[in-house]
Amino acid sequence: MQGDELLAVTPEVLAKAILERRKRMAEHLPKALEQRIEENDRAYGLSSQARDNLNSLQVDASNVGQDELDKAKATYEEHEAFRRRTASRLQNIKNKIVDCEEALAFWNTMNEGGWGHLLEDAERLNSGGSSTYAKPPGHLDREDEP
């Protein structure tokens, strides 16, 4: 879209388009959350099993070779790293869900005509007011006085 085409789009149409896009994005999040939970549970189980195996080998270190102990430690570290990654992915999807819910609420408000706070500056300019909230020169608050 070129500049003129973008200017032809009304805020209401834009808000509706954004809201519809957010709704489509939100439809995929529950399935992704379910997948991440399953992945995290699997990773937790693997990590726990590897930790228990390593601990049992360390307790019985006299009957276990160093190679076997090193292999168990490497396996545990690999599974623990996987568990951390899956926990991070799970938290990311939970954060996306919260963000999406907040965005949907915001754009629902915009779609229902809640533009007031966004159009205050434009209305102030149209009525001849200043373009910013900047204080006029020479105007000091009490706390700014020397």
Side-chain angles (χ1 to χ4, degrees), residues 92-106:
N92 283 341
I93 198 75
K94 287 178 179 179
N95 291 343
K96 285 180 183 180
I97 289 171
V98 170
D99 291 345
C100 195
E101 288 171 352
E102 290 173 357
L104 282 172
F106 175 81

Side-chain angles (χ1 to χ4, degrees), residues 18-28 104 108:
I18 292 171
L19 180 61
E20 291 303 315
R21 182 170 183 222
R22 284 288 185 167
K23 284 179 180 178
R24 283 193 310 270
M25 288 171 38
E27 290 174 358
H28 301 287
L104 282 172
N108 270 323

